[in-house]
Amino acid sequence: MTATTHTAGPGGDTPADTPADTPADTPAGVPADAPRTTRPPVIADGPGAPHEYRRNTSTLHARDVLAMAGAAAAALGLTAVLFGRVLPFDAPLGFAVVLYFAFMTLYAVLVSLDDNGSAVRARLAQAVVHSIAGLLLAALVFVVGYTIVRGWGALVHLNFFTEDMSGTGPLDPLTQGGALHAIIGTLEQIAIALLVTVPLGLACAVFLNEVPGRYARFVRTIVEAMTALPSIVAGLFVYATWILLLGQGKSGLAAALALSVMMLPIVIRASDVVIRLVPGSLKEASYALGAGQWRTVRTVVLPTARSGLTTAVILGTARGIGETSPVLLTSGIAAGLNANPVDGPQLSLPLATFTLVISPEKAMIARGFGCAALLMALVLVLFVIARVIGGKPPGRLGKGQVHRRVIASARDVERMSARARERDARPAGAAPPPGA
């Protein structure tokens, strides 16, 4: 006699008479010993369906947080005992170093209680990487915050942005004088430097990639050597050639040339690396369509590497905009506004910061930190403008480019329609007109 079992279906208590030695998934009418294929289990939908739990893929778990908190608390207590009772030290830097190493040691011990050696090493590597990132972020926040706090007394006055220092003395309050002359000088000098550096840098980078040979290798070697050129050497070079040899006076143009000497190798080197990353298949496709070498460079290589070239220009600008020594040698110091970069001394924000901070007067020091804060804001504005201009990824068109593509497509449709109408209106057997 064969035993039967009663099972309840998903919708209620419906009995199912199934032999005990027969698999539950054997269809009706099929022998039990027939070969079967494995089928995935069917998950029923509805209120009675089993609940699916999402797997946690996070690398940070509760036990890791507890281990870090416990290690931090233990390290703080141990370091306090060592510095307060055992060691004859009280330096804050030494306290921080001992605290960090104690935390790493105790954290490794706590993690080793639950995990193996590879997991301990992985946790320690994560802790080191995150601590370094936090340290760099803290240093950046400290530098920016300290500069803004020290210069806030000058930044809150409108005259700091609208007046120069021609009629202001060291003992005058912050309600008099400003940094207008330094702002104008910095903007003009960096603009001239970019006008010189960007075309020459991009052209040299394209030359190094498109015209290989011994001369290109020689130029690349010189560029790599000039990357580590000290700023004072660039200033001395322009001072010896432009001012002494050619007889030109100190001016904003001379300072811009010195900045160009410093920025040019940075832009060339970074642009060279970016252009090398353009896939060769894109250039080969352009050549296959009949485009020449320089048309391929203009329409394929440079647009594809646009975001990287923008980054190269940003790196060069950041290198040149904050330099003081070449500007001091080539532009001179001026207390008043000089908007003519080719005639007379012209001050810049880095040079103004240098000359004002070394003053013993608090008002002058506040003006110097205010100039430093303006310089950081100017670098941020230039960075945002550069990202807006060249920040789109390859293949994504801007609004103007899309509009021009639509207009060109409409012209093509109109031209093709006109040709089709002429072809339909031409008598049968007539020769097409020349050029059709």
Side-chain angles (χ1 to χ4, degrees):
M1 180 179 295
T2 304
T4 60
T5 58
H6 298 275
T7 59
D13 298 333
T14 303
D17 296 333
T18 305
D21 55 352
T22 303
D25 58 347
T26 302
V30 178
D33 56 351
R36 298 181 295 110
T37 58
T38 303
R39 295 185 299 175
V42 179
I43 300 177
D45 297 330
H51 181 69
E52 295 184 7
Y53 293 95
R54 184 180 297 274
R55 184 177 180 182
N56 185 15
T57 58
S58 175
T59 58
L60 185 64
H61 303 282
R63 63 179 182 180
D64 297 329
V65 176
L66 294 177
M68 286 188 290
L76 181 60
L78 178 61
T79 307
V81 170
L82 290 176
F83 271 69
R85 302 289 182 179
V86 180
L87 301 177
F89 303 126
D90 57 355
L93 180 59
F95 185 89
V97 172
V98 174
L99 176 63
Y100 180 75
F101 281 104
F103 166 76
M104 296 298 294
T105 303
L106 294 174
Y107 181 62
V109 172
L110 292 178
V111 173
S112 64
L113 297 178
D114 297 327
D115 297 317
N116 53 16
S118 60
V120 172
R121 289 190 293 270
R123 293 291 185 271
L124 289 179
Q126 290 180 356
V128 170
V129 171
H130 285 82
S131 59
I132 292 175
L135 179 62
L136 294 178
L137 180 61
L140 177 62
V141 172
F142 175 77
V143 170
V144 175
Y146 183 79
T147 303
I148 294 176
V149 169
R150 292 295 303 270
W152 187 253
L155 294 172
V156 295
H157 298 288
L158 183 61
N159 58 279
F160 184 74
F161 306 93
T162 59
E163 297 180 7
D164 55 26
M165 296 292 293
S166 57
T168 306
L171 300 179
D172 291 334
L174 294 175
T175 55
Q176 300 179 14
L180 179 63
H181 57 311
I183 297 173
I184 298 299
T186 298
L187 292 177
E188 291 183 350
Q189 291 172 15
I190 199 64
I192 296 174
L194 287 176
L195 289 177
V196 174
T197 303
V198 173
L200 291 180
L202 297 183
C204 185
V206 171
F207 168 77
L208 294 178
N209 284 273
E210 299 296 329
V211 188
R214 286 186 292 181
Y215 184 65
R217 290 194 295 270
F218 173 75
V219 173
R220 182 176 282 109
T221 303
I222 296 299
V223 169
E224 292 177 354
M226 289 182 61
T227 304
L229 183 70
S231 59
I232 190 67
V233 176
L236 289 174
F237 171 74
V238 176
Y239 180 80
T241 56
W242 182 261
I243 298 177
L244 297 181
L245 185 61
L246 299 179
Q248 304 294 326
K250 292 185 177 181
S251 61
L253 178 60
L257 294 178
L259 296 179
S260 299
V261 173
M262 297 181 54
M263 295 165 55
L264 192 59
I266 303 296
V267 175
I268 294 175
R269 185 71 180 121
S271 302
D272 180 26
V273 173
V274 170
I275 292 176
R276 281 197 224 174
L277 298 178
V278 176
S281 58
L282 295 179
K283 296 191 289 186
E284 293 172 359
S286 178
Y287 295 147
L289 293 175
Q293 183 180 18
W294 300 115
R295 183 176 179 84
T296 300
V297 170
R298 183 174 60 87
T299 60
V300 176
V301 176
L302 295 182
T304 303
R306 179 178 55 185
S307 59
L309 296 177
T310 304
T311 304
V313 174
I314 292 174
L315 292 176
T317 304
R319 171 70 189 278
I321 198 172
E323 290 296 336
T324 303
S325 54
V327 179
L328 179 62
L329 290 173
T330 55
S331 71
I333 299 178
L337 176 63
N338 179 19
N340 186 4
V342 299
D343 185 18
Q346 189 181 57
L347 197 66
S348 64
L349 284 174
L351 187 56
T353 302
F354 172 74
T355 56
L356 292 174
V357 169
I358 61 177
S359 174
E361 300 297 331
K362 293 184 178 180
M364 301 296 283
I365 295 175
R367 292 188 182 98
F369 277 99
C371 292
L374 285 180
L375 184 61
M376 291 190 300
L378 178 60
V379 172
L380 178 61
V381 170
L382 292 177
F383 174 79
V384 171
I385 293 175
R387 298 309 300 175
V388 170
I389 294 176
K392 295 184 180 62
R396 180 176 297 180
L397 302 179
K399 293 183 178 179
Q401 293 174 324
V402 172
H403 181 65
R404 288 192 294 271
R405 291 291 180 90
V406 171
I407 294 177
S409 299
R411 290 201 194 101
D412 292 339
V413 171
E414 183 179 357
R415 186 173 64 254
M416 294 299 179
S417 300
R419 288 186 179 181
R421 289 194 297 269
E422 292 178 1
R423 185 173 60 251
D424 295 339
R426 192 167 55 244

